[in-house]
Amino acid sequence: MEYYKLPYCQPDHIVSSAENLGEVLRGDRIFNSLYQIQMRLDERCKVVCRVIALTPPQVKTIHEAIEYEYRVNMILDNLPAAEVRQHLDETGAPIVDETTGQPRKYYERGFPVGVKVSESEDGPHRFYINNHARFTILYHRDADTDLARIVGFEVEPASVRHEYDRWDDSAPRLKTCAGNADEPHPLGESPQIVAAGEEIVFTYDVVFKSSPVRWASRWDTYLQTQDREIHWFSVVNSAMILLFLSGMVAMIMIRTLRRDITQYNQLETVEETAEETGWKLVHGDVFRPPPAPGALSVCIGTGSQLLGMTFVTMIFAVLGFLSPANRGGLMTAMLMLFVFMGVINGYVTGRMLRGFALTDWQGHTLKTALAFPSVVFAVVFALNLLVWGRRSAAAVPFGTLVALLLLWGAIHTPLVYVGSYFGFKTTPPETPVRTNKIPRQVPPQPWYMSPWFSALVGGVLPFGAVFIELFFILTSMWLHQTYYIFGILFLVYLILVLTCAEITIVLCYFQLCGEDYRWWWRSFFTSGSSALYVFMYSAFYFATKLDITRTVPTVMYFCYMGLLSLGFLMITGTVGFVSCLGFVRAIYGSVKID
């Protein structure tokens, strides 16, 4: 919701700040205000303006904002205003920092519009607006000069029903501001109720405090979370899953496969059919093209594009190029990288089409250029219509939609065609074994080797490797907290990739031992099924952590999480498919087959 949609004090000329693409897509709308602050000048109970009489529509808007727990966001020197919170231990006592000896604190962005009070559960509700703010501005003073830089912007809201004898626009004097200036809030005890005809006077205090925090470290407090140790537990949990899978893969590759290949290559006197067992029996069908090879090529190409986008984005984030001070920088970087990674999408798709001996590379290239972006754009546009209807600041302007279409049509699609052209022109790698003309009949499989069961089992471990970190990602997305532990996220991401590769190889080996050579699509969905668990976890998170009751936010949540799960399917499915393809080529290239 835009700030001035509520009846706050407005300047004569509202100026909107220039915003990048990421800020616009996030719904950030930044305007100028009437709050005036002089550096290192403390002020007390300074009047911003007076709203003479609230109208019923204004009262309804404020009531809704308080009811749904909207928060006021302000920016000073590119630092967001934040309420101070303290880290607590299991007993509820504040945790003291060992280096400073002070209670360890963290910030919660913004401050509530107001509070709702009811004398009883069934009684009427009263709404009070926070019309007074006490700004505590932390600054770091240079040791050699008198120069200072702002390193913190803390706010403490209050609801005050201001009183005065006679209102003077040039120099208003309020009786409720009398008292000791050192008190946190030397104001009246009566809060400002929100009702039709009520008069509201908006005021603020300014307090400057010296801080040992240097300007280069001023974002550290904003980025601290109350559960820092849990992130490392997430890494350890994921690493244990990876070690378990690595042990299974090592056992298969070193013990079972090496023994089978050695015995098979040493047998020369016995008939071939008598010696072939298990996975060696299907060597004539294992590279037979799957059903819908074009669709599989499109999925693998899209997954490669998303894999490259996420990998490069996290590399930039780990190196510190995506600072939280650059609002919208992360989303802008992801969007632009997705567009330019279209060349990888086209190259992978074209190379797979050549490997499947498909000739219509132009048609399939158009599909891979339109498939995933069209789904995303259709969902975002439909949600945008709903948000427009609610007159929300999260609605993407028409000009931005046109810019996205131009990025899609003028840059992304040509890059996909360029990559597909070069990928299709490459010579495909030769298969290590020849494919029989007549397909081999697949014997009946036990229930635990059915495609659906195998996929559901295969998705558990990749999801288990990331679900702890997924909680913090969802919290940063939907509870407006800053996520910036990209080092740990990058470790979890690498563990996820290795886990997807290893679980797919293990289940693919069991499938081939059962003389089932239909591994192409199953390898994609084995690890890709973890996206189903991601979506189910997002539904659990919605039910347990979020307090959303209205229809439009609910639809937005599940649609965006559906898109996130779809992208997760493409990434994990591609990793599983590529790993299985390399595994199959390796084992069948190691046996001597006439």
Side-chain angles (χ1 to χ4, degrees), residues 362-380:
Q362 294 94 338
H364 288 92
T365 301
L366 182 62
K367 292 178 182 178
T368 195
L370 300 180
F372 186 78
S374 61
V375 172
V376 175
F377 187 83
V379 172
V380 170

Side-chain angles (χ1 to χ4, degrees), residues 103-276:
R104 186 186 299 173
K105 66 179 181 180
Y106 67 97
Y107 286 154
E108 187 172 347
R109 293 283 188 92
F111 60 91
V113 173
V115 293
K116 182 178 72 171
V117 179
S118 58
E119 297 179 357
S120 61
E121 295 183 359
D122 300 330
H125 300 295
R126 293 184 178 181
F127 294 88
Y128 301 100
I129 189 172
N130 287 324
N131 60 324
H132 179 84
R134 182 182 181 88
F135 300 125
T136 302
I137 302 173
L138 308 179
Y139 67 93
H140 180 79
R141 183 177 176 180
D142 187 77
D144 301 327
T145 67
D146 195 39
L147 301 178
R149 280 180 161 181
I150 295 175
V151 295
F153 184 28
E154 301 174 355
V155 61
E156 184 181 353
S159 179
V160 183
R161 188 183 184 92
H162 285 295
E163 299 175 359
Y164 56 88
D165 293 328
R166 183 177 60 87
W167 183 263
D168 184 0
D169 290 329
S170 59
R173 298 179 62 87
L174 304 176
K175 295 193 298 183
T176 44
C177 290
N180 186 3
D182 295 330
E183 296 178 8
H185 284 297
L187 304 166
E189 298 180 356
S190 177
Q192 177 61 61
I193 194 170
V194 179
E198 279 288 326
E199 178 184 87
I200 302 178
V201 178
F202 289 91
T203 57
Y204 65 100
D205 298 337
V206 180
V207 178
F208 280 88
K209 287 186 178 180
S210 179
S211 172
V213 178
R214 301 185 65 85
W215 189 85
S217 305
R218 65 178 188 162
W219 278 93
D220 291 354
T221 308
Y222 288 89
L223 302 179
Q224 285 183 359
T225 60
Q226 196 167 0
D227 305 306
R228 290 181 296 179
E229 294 79 6
I230 298 181
H231 291 279
W232 287 110
F233 174 75
S234 171
V235 175
V236 174
N237 170 72
S238 304
M240 295 303 296
I241 294 175
L242 180 63
L243 289 175
F244 169 73
L245 280 176
S246 299
M248 293 187 63
V249 172
M251 181 181 64
I252 291 173
M253 298 293 291
I254 296 175
R255 298 186 58 186
T256 308
L257 274 175
R258 179 178 292 180
R259 184 183 65 243
D260 290 350
I261 292 172
T262 302
Q263 293 177 355
Y264 184 83
N265 291 337
Q266 290 177 350
L267 293 173
E268 299 177 354
T269 58
V270 189
E271 294 183 1
E272 179 182 354
T273 55
E275 303 307 330
E276 294 181 351

Side-chain angles (χ1 to χ4, degrees), residues 3-16 30-36 48-51:
Y3 180 79
Y4 290 122
K5 188 175 180 180
L6 287 156
Y8 287 128
C9 303
Q10 300 185 14
D12 295 333
H13 300 285
I14 299 177
V15 180
S16 177
I30 303 172
F31 306 100
N32 58 327
S33 73
L34 289 174
Y35 291 88
Q36 299 295 325
V48 186
C49 76
R50 178 182 61 153
V51 178

Side-chain angles (χ1 to χ4, degrees), residues 26 30 44 64 86 111 124 144 157 179 209 217 228 273 282 287 306 359 363 413 437 442 457 465 471 491 493 563 576:
R26 281 166 43 92
I30 303 172
R44 178 171 165 272
E64 289 181 352
Q86 289 186 349
F111 60 91
D144 301 327
K209 287 186 178 180
S217 305
R228 290 181 296 179
T273 55
V282 296
F287 289 102
L306 293 172
T359 57
T413 301
K437 295 182 179 180
V442 179
V457 170
F471 169 82
L491 290 177
Y493 182 78
L563 291 179

Side-chain angles (χ1 to χ4, degrees), residues 285-308:
D285 299 274
V286 72
F287 289 102
R288 187 178 304 281
L296 180 61
S297 302
V298 170
C299 291
I300 301 303
T302 303
S304 302
Q305 181 181 11
L306 293 172
L307 188 66

